[in-house]
Amino acid sequence: MRSIRLLAGAAAILVPILIAGSAFAADAAAGEEAFVRFGCYTCHGYEGQGAGTGPKLAPEPLAFDAFSTFVRQTSGDMPPFTPATLSDEELQNIHAYLESIPATPDPASIPLLQQLQ
Amino acid sequence: MTDKSKSKQAVTKVDRRKFMAGVAVAGAAVVSTEAKSAILPPGAPAPAAPSAMRPSTVMAQAEVATASVSAPAYPGTQNGKPGSDYMVDVLKTLDIEYIVTNPASSCRGIHESIVNYGGNRMPELLTTMHEESGTAMAHGYFKVALKPMGSLCHGTVGLQHAAMAVYNAWCDRAPILMMIGNEMDANVRRPGVPTTHAAQDPAAMIRDFTKWDDQPGSLQHFSESMVRAYRISMTPPYEPVLIVMGEELQEGVPEPGHFENFSIPKVALPTPPQGESNAVRETAAMLVAAENPVFVVDRVARTPAGLALMVELAELLQATVVDQGGRMNFPNMHHLAARGAAAIRRADVVVGMELTDFWGTVNDFSDTAHAQQGPIVREGTRMVSIGTGDVYIRANYQDFQRYQPVDIAIAADAEATLPSLIEAVRMLLDGAARTRIDNRGQAARDAYNTARSRVAADAAASAWNASPISGARLSFELWELIKNEDWALVSRDQSISNWPHRVWTFDKYYQWIGGPGGAGIGYGLPAAVGAALAHRPHGRLVVNIQNDGDCMYAPGALWTAAHHKIPLLNVMHNNRAYHQEVMHLQRMASWRQRGLSDGSWRVATTIENPNVDYAKLAESMGVAGIGPIENPNDLAPALRRAIDIVKAGEPALVDVITQPR
């Protein structure tokens, strides 16, 4: 169904990280899939770059605890995603995906953006 | 329009050539039996002759034996001009360049007159494929040309099609001269479809969102009502108006000599109301004394003069301006231009000018299960409203928004009030005030120089190489190609996170025309075509960043652009969804704790499977189509090719697969 791919190098990298309190390896590729399937991209953009509809999430996402607390408990402009709809494992994978997104290039290295320096 | 009564026309046609209703018939005599038989179906019983039956032209010709009663006798114009020629005479006094139409039998009289009598110039007919598109074209055209276009629609069903576009124009304070055909007299009206398409009061359907309408009973009445309609629609607040033109009035031929007294009134546009002088002085005093005065403006600049006055006032006070963008009210890269609510939170005086939604400007409303809401302004912030919203309001449709109390409400046209407000401020500026204002200005300049461009560059750099292509990348690539041209953007940029306003320098009135007003989808493409038409004589490079969902409401507008050779660069923001609704569905599913993992929110919100090929769509209608472009590195060459086509005087479309926002 999804006809959209990421060009940037984020796809299909397995990022094994240990999350406090859980001992399984978060899977960035599965996280990317979940980021789309749960529709995080619709407000935050496919690379979590942020948009008028939701802030930037990546690179360098919030630490997992804060990230998880926000996603689970927000009662503001973002609708919450509780464990009933999004499992801890899936949320960890999403976090791993966001962590795997490479650092934003320096705008000075992009010719069209140099005019703003 | 299909007309299933055509076969019956041979019988009834002659009867339609009678004098139009409302024109007194001088010297009408009882018609001879021979003449009468010409208008009756064979075998029909002859009706009792009224004491003074109005003769039709054919009857009159039969009486003087110039036409055979057995052969169809077409009156031509030898006996005088048909009514719709007089209507064209009226339209020609109103400086109307264009009337957009989807052809319709109820308008055939005026249609023929515009072409053959008026020479299809001033006004010229434009072909639209849908009345909603035609009316949206008129809407977009006005905001650049600053004069109204006519929208000629079939009675009833044509107007029903046009209705949403009329509502948009109403909310956006754009004048449109709506004109429809209608026939009330069942005795002369063709049965079947034309009768189904007639109504006692066709204007009723859109009366809640038009400023005035009339159904004139005679040509003199038409003349006065058309001029009055023009005048009313062009008096702030500008709004659409409607004139219903009887088919008999259009098609009837007044007796020679009868119309020696036909006259067309002069249009003298009323001057708009200015703010009452005491209230203006009080506002000026408040502004001069304020620490952080903020102007919030939505449609303050009705004309380029409004833009210049707004800059003058803001600079005089070195006060922040939050431009809500209904029009080009303030240069976006000016050091006093602010985006978002932060400036309003800091304000001690807020002056809202021609705002659609003052309440929403000074309050927060979170779309949460509990509809959290509350003021964002500080306690004690003084507020002033200046606008025509207090001069003119209607019930039913809620576009007047929620009630917001203010300290001073000036019921007046804001642009017309600006000169006196500027003068009043100037009179109050003493040395101390000037020092305070200069300091404020310096602080604003410093903050502007250090912060703005770095923030934009950093934000644009992330996802710079992403596919789907980011709104930032799209906007930078476009800007690079148009910034040294005389350009104009004729679409909103909200759907791509306002990137053009974050990056491009908007400083001329015509570079920005705001949005649909009523947020009715299907406005974007036709309004862009209409606006591009108004830009055409100036040779500007006109850009439309076109949402995919909106495009599919009215793709026929592309054909209109090709047919009438309207140069316009359409760049698809193709996120393959009605994306706003995607987010709404997600919100619902989140609140209800279901259906998030299986993407239920994609059902009936996305435009995929199959994907629409917009380049082919454009090609099929004679518009050069390029794309789909998925790789950001392919974007610049595609845009360059399209710009070459547009500069040669044709429309073009580049389909770009984009991030959601």
Side-chain angles (χ1 to χ4, degrees):
Chain A
M1 189 56 245
R2 186 173 166 229
S3 57
I4 284 155
R5 294 167 303 107
L6 293 176
L7 278 192
I13 313 164
L14 197 78
V15 185
I17 44 168
L18 282 181
I19 310 268
S22 99
F24 89 101
D27 178 343
E32 184 189 354
E33 187 272 331
F35 192 77
V36 173
R37 185 159 47 85
F38 284 91
C40 312
Y41 79 95
T42 70
C43 301
H44 294 287
Y46 283 101
E47 297 191 2
Q49 75 270 20
T53 43
K56 180 172 171 167
L57 301 180
E60 294 162 30
L62 294 175
F64 184 75
D65 280 352
F67 182 84
S68 168
T69 306
F70 185 89
V71 171
R72 298 303 193 198
Q73 293 173 15
T74 171
S75 60
D77 287 337
M78 172 171 146
F81 291 73
T82 64
T85 53
L86 172 69
S87 73
D88 284 339
E89 188 179 340
E90 283 163 325
L91 190 57
Q92 284 164 9
N93 288 341
I94 287 173
H95 190 259
Y97 164 59
L98 295 171
E99 283 205 311
S100 76
I101 289 177
T104 302
D106 180 353
S109 69
I110 299 172
L112 281 182
L113 297 183
Q114 281 164 7
Q115 57 190 296
L116 288 188
Q117 296 308 293
Chain B
M1 303 287 149
T2 50
D3 183 345
K4 76 176 162 80
S5 69
K6 270 205 177 104
S7 59
K8 297 177 193 159
Q9 272 185 347
V11 181
T12 54
K13 184 174 278 159
V14 286
D15 204 18
R16 291 199 43 75
R17 301 298 166 200
K18 73 193 204 46
F19 285 11
M20 64 289 204
V23 175
V25 177
V30 175
V31 185
S32 70
T33 324
E34 290 85 338
K36 224 187 296 172
S37 66
I39 60 163
L40 291 172
S51 58
M53 182 188 261
R54 294 171 184 172
S56 70
T57 307
V58 167
M59 286 163 145
Q61 285 172 340
E63 271 200 297
V64 293
T66 54
S68 151
V69 293
S70 53
Y74 296 98
T77 52
Q78 68 268 38
N79 289 331
K81 300 198 290 193
S84 50
D85 286 3
Y86 287 90
M87 293 176 168
V88 170
D89 288 337
V90 176
L91 294 176
K92 280 186 179 288
T93 68
L94 296 177
D95 190 29
I96 301 169
E97 272 186 302
Y98 299 105
I99 291 181
V100 63
T101 194
N102 185 262
S105 60
S106 63
C107 306
R108 64 189 189 179
I110 184 121
H111 186 147
E112 192 273 345
S113 288
I114 291 170
V115 178
N116 287 326
Y117 174 71
N120 202 24
R121 280 281 166 274
M122 298 297 289
E124 176 187 343
L125 287 179
L126 305 169
T127 317
T128 182
M129 298 195 146
H130 193 293
E131 291 85 347
E132 185 181 293
S133 303
T135 305
M137 270 181 72
H139 182 176
Y141 168 88
F142 171 78
K143 290 192 276 183
V144 178
L146 300 181
K147 53 186 182 180
M149 192 192 271
S151 175
L152 178 65
C153 303
H154 197 22
T156 311
V157 291
L159 190 62
Q160 286 168 354
H161 274 313
M164 189 215 73
V166 178
Y167 185 61
N168 270 340
W170 161 266
C171 296
D172 196 27
R173 304 225 185 283
I176 298 176
L177 306 174
M178 300 298 302
M179 292 180 263
I180 63 168
N182 189 42
E183 181 50 69
M184 267 309 294
D185 186 349
N187 192 41
V188 300
R189 191 165 65 199
R190 283 158 292 145
V193 173
T195 294
T196 308
H197 288 178
Q200 285 178 46
D201 183 8
M205 187 181 57
I206 62 165
R207 189 162 290 136
D208 278 329
F209 43 91
T210 39
K211 206 169 170 191
W212 192 69
D213 66 82
D214 198 13
Q215 184 158 211
S218 70
L219 290 173
Q220 184 58 41
H221 185 174
F222 172 85
S223 170
E224 291 167 24
S225 287
M226 195 69 222
V227 171
R228 187 199 295 263
Y230 181 93
R231 190 176 188 265
I232 288 172
S233 87
M234 284 295 288
T235 302
Y238 300 150
E239 296 292 8
V241 288
L242 170 67
I243 294 294
V244 183
M245 299 174 298
E247 285 183 51
E248 272 194 283
L249 208 57
Q250 297 175 50
E251 296 186 21
V253 181
E255 200 175 49
H258 190 78
F259 262 55
E260 274 153 19
N261 293 330
F262 179 74
S263 65
I264 304 172
K266 230 172 56 180
V267 206
L269 292 181
T271 53
Q274 291 184 19
E276 188 270 331
S277 51
N278 282 325
V280 168
R281 271 200 296 272
E282 215 181 309
T283 303
M286 225 184 242
L287 283 166
V288 170
E291 281 303 318
N292 271 318
V294 171
F295 294 106
V296 188
V297 290
D298 194 3
R299 292 188 185 82
V300 70
R302 271 189 295 106
T303 72
L307 170 61
L309 289 166
M310 217 33 247
V311 172
E312 188 179 346
L313 177 60
E315 289 181 351
L316 193 59
L317 287 157
Q318 291 297 318
T320 303
V321 179
V322 177
D323 187 353
Q324 296 183 333
R327 293 291 184 279
M328 175 66 207
N329 299 301
F330 201 69
N332 66 324
M333 294 295 172
H334 194 286
H335 71 275
L336 294 169
R339 240 191 314 269
I344 297 168
R345 288 180 201 279
R346 281 195 308 269
D348 54 351
V349 171
V350 174
V351 178
M353 291 197 256
E354 301 293 356
L355 295 192
T356 309
D357 184 5
F358 206 137
W359 188 92
T361 298
V362 294
N363 287 278
D364 201 16
F365 186 101
S366 221
D367 188 8
T368 55
H370 310 292
Q372 289 151 356
Q373 53 191 288
I376 61 166
V377 286
R378 299 188 317 201
E379 180 98 29
T381 299
R382 322 259 336 253
M383 288 185 253
V384 181
S385 65
I386 311 176
T388 44
D390 280 330
V391 178
Y392 179 69
I393 192 167
R394 300 289 289 273
N396 199 7
Y397 291 90
Q398 305 286 305
D399 60 296
F400 43 76
Q401 300 290 334
R402 200 157 162 183
Y403 183 77
Q404 174 59 42
V406 294
D407 297 284
I408 303 175
I410 301 181
D413 177 65
E415 179 174 310
T417 304
L418 280 173
S420 57
L421 183 56
I422 290 170
E423 204 39 51
V425 167
R426 202 166 266 135
M427 306 251 298
L428 291 172
L429 290 180
D430 55 20
R434 280 182 201 280
T435 309
R436 201 156 28 83
I437 287 169
D438 285 350
N439 292 342
R440 189 159 64 214
Q442 196 49 50
R445 248 180 236 106
D446 293 347
Y448 176 87
N449 288 340
T450 50
R452 190 171 307 198
S453 16
R454 171 143 295 280
V455 169
D458 283 349
S462 53
W464 183 254
N465 289 315
S467 174
I469 294 169
S470 74
R473 179 76 182 258
L474 176 68
S475 303
F476 273 97
E477 297 283 1
L478 255 171
W479 181 235
E480 186 62 15
L481 298 175
I482 67 168
K483 66 184 183 191
N484 296 321
E485 309 278 348
D486 186 14
W487 60 272
L489 181 66
V490 290
S491 52
R492 279 194 313 173
D493 57 5
Q494 207 177 23
S495 300
I496 52 167
S497 300
N498 303 106
W499 271 106
H501 267 88
R502 291 156 79 177
V503 175
W504 306 4
T505 301
F506 292 78
D507 54 12
K508 299 189 178 64
Y509 186 73
Y510 58 76
Q511 285 170 334
W512 173 252
I513 59 170
I521 310 299
Y523 155 96
L525 181 60
V529 172
L533 175 68
H535 282 299
R536 186 172 66 182
H538 306 282
R540 295 177 191 137
L541 178 55
V542 183
V543 181
N544 169 36
I545 300 176
Q546 175 62 47
N547 295 346
D548 56 337
D550 179 281
C551 179
M552 290 307 287
Y553 274 69
L558 288 169
W559 180 87
T560 299
H563 180 70
H564 291 287
K565 301 223 175 311
I566 301 172
L568 171 63
L569 173 62
N570 298 285
V571 181
M572 294 303 300
H573 164 39
N574 183 3
N575 59 15
R576 294 181 173 152
Y578 300 104
H579 190 72
Q580 171 134 313
E581 311 320 311
V582 170
M583 294 184 292
H584 276 303
L585 254 284
Q586 276 182 313
R587 194 172 293 278
M588 277 298 115
S590 289
W591 290 355
R592 294 170 181 177
Q593 303 276 300
R594 61 189 181 194
L596 286 166
S597 65
D598 59 6
S600 68
W601 39 271
R602 303 180 85 98
V603 176
T605 55
T606 53
I607 313 174
E608 299 171 323
N609 193 20
N611 294 329
V612 180
D613 187 331
Y614 291 95
K616 278 194 187 145
L617 178 79
E619 288 283 343
S620 77
M621 287 187 271
V623 173
I626 300 170
I629 306 296
E630 299 193 48
N631 184 331
N633 296 326
D634 296 339
L635 192 52
L639 292 173
R640 239 179 257 120
R641 263 177 64 205
I643 287 173
D644 285 346
I645 294 163
V646 173
K647 282 185 165 177
E650 304 272 349
L653 179 146
V654 182
D655 184 11
V656 185
I657 311 303
T658 46
Q659 294 276 327
R661 279 285 185 263

